Amino acid sequence: MELRKGTVYPALNRLERIGLLRSTWQTAGERRRRCYELTDAGRRGLATERTAWREFTTAIGAVLNPAPEPGNAT
Protein backbone atom coordinates (compact mmCIF):
# COMPACT_ATOMS: atom_id res chain seq x y z
CA MET A 1 0.00 0.00 0.00
CA GLU A 2 1.35 3.39 -0.95
CA LEU A 3 0.57 6.46 1.16
CA ARG A 4 0.57 9.98 -0.22
CA LYS A 5 2.76 12.73 1.28
CA GLY A 6 -0.39 14.63 2.17
CA THR A 7 -1.37 11.73 4.43
CA VAL A 8 1.88 10.73 6.11
CA TYR A 9 3.59 14.01 6.90
CA PRO A 10 0.61 15.72 8.56
CA ALA A 11 0.23 12.65 10.78
CA LEU A 12 3.95 12.68 11.68
CA ASN A 13 3.82 16.41 12.41
CA ARG A 14 0.75 15.98 14.61
CA LEU A 15 2.40 13.13 16.56
CA GLU A 16 5.49 15.28 17.02
CA ARG A 17 3.43 18.27 18.18
CA ILE A 18 1.73 16.21 20.89
CA GLY A 19 5.05 14.75 22.05
CA LEU A 20 4.81 11.16 20.83
CA LEU A 21 7.60 11.55 18.24
CA ARG A 22 10.75 13.59 17.89
CA SER A 23 12.53 14.30 14.64
CA THR A 24 16.01 15.24 13.50
CA TRP A 25 17.52 16.14 10.14
CA GLN A 26 20.14 13.71 8.87
CA THR A 27 22.21 13.64 5.72
CA ALA A 28 22.29 10.56 3.51
CA GLY A 29 24.74 11.08 0.70
CA GLU A 30 23.94 14.54 -0.60
CA ARG A 31 20.31 14.50 0.51
CA ARG A 32 18.89 15.67 3.81
CA ARG A 33 16.06 13.70 5.32
CA ARG A 34 13.91 13.99 8.38
CA CYS A 35 14.14 10.98 10.73
CA TYR A 36 11.55 10.26 13.38
CA GLU A 37 11.73 8.27 16.59
CA LEU A 38 9.33 7.55 19.41
CA THR A 39 9.63 9.52 22.62
CA ASP A 40 9.12 7.82 26.00
CA ALA A 41 5.51 9.03 25.91
CA GLY A 42 5.23 7.59 22.39
CA ARG A 43 6.47 4.20 23.59
CA ARG A 44 3.95 4.19 26.45
CA GLY A 45 1.17 5.23 24.06
CA LEU A 46 2.15 2.49 21.62
CA ALA A 47 2.08 -0.12 24.39
CA THR A 48 -1.39 1.05 25.43
CA GLU A 49 -2.67 0.94 21.85
CA ARG A 50 -1.19 -2.53 21.28
CA THR A 51 -2.95 -3.82 24.39
CA ALA A 52 -6.25 -2.31 23.26
CA TRP A 53 -5.79 -3.81 19.78
CA ARG A 54 -5.09 -7.28 21.19
CA GLU A 55 -8.19 -7.08 23.38
CA PHE A 56 -10.27 -5.97 20.40
CA THR A 57 -8.99 -8.74 18.11
CA THR A 58 -9.55 -11.32 20.84
CA ALA A 59 -13.16 -10.17 21.23
CA ILE A 60 -13.74 -10.27 17.46
CA GLY A 61 -12.13 -13.70 17.27
CA ALA A 62 -14.48 -14.96 20.00
CA VAL A 63 -17.46 -13.75 17.97
CA LEU A 64 -16.23 -15.17 14.67
CA ASN A 65 -14.92 -18.46 16.11
CA PRO A 66 -16.86 -19.15 19.32
CA ALA A 67 -15.60 -21.93 21.54
CA PRO A 68 -17.97 -24.90 21.76
CA GLU A 69 -20.03 -24.98 24.93
CA PRO A 70 -18.99 -27.69 27.42
CA GLY A 71 -20.99 -30.85 26.91
CA ASN A 72 -21.89 -30.08 23.29
CA ALA A 73 -20.10 -32.27 20.79
CA THR A 74 -19.78 -30.81 17.32
Side-chain angles (χ1 to χ4, degrees):
M1 176 164 88
E2 196 169 313
L3 298 173
R4 298 182 339 233
K5 277 186 188 180
T7 303
V8 175
Y9 291 108
L12 290 171
N13 290 332
R14 188 170 45 253
L15 292 169
E16 189 171 18
R17 242 187 346 270
I18 62 175
L20 300 178
L21 292 179
R22 73 168 89 25
S23 67
T24 57
W25 284 103
Q26 296 183 359
T27 303
E30 294 183 16
R31 297 185 63 181
R32 286 186 54 191
R33 64 181 178 190
R34 197 124 181 114
C35 295
Y36 294 86
E37 67 178 316
L38 288 170
T39 62
D40 289 340
R43 282 186 199 82
R44 287 190 302 272
L46 177 58
T48 299
E49 292 299 322
R50 280 184 173 158
T51 298
W53 179 254
R54 286 187 188 113
E55 291 170 358
F56 174 75
T57 58
T58 298
I60 295 299
V63 170
L64 296 176
N65 299 308
E69 293 183 26
N72 287 348
T74 50

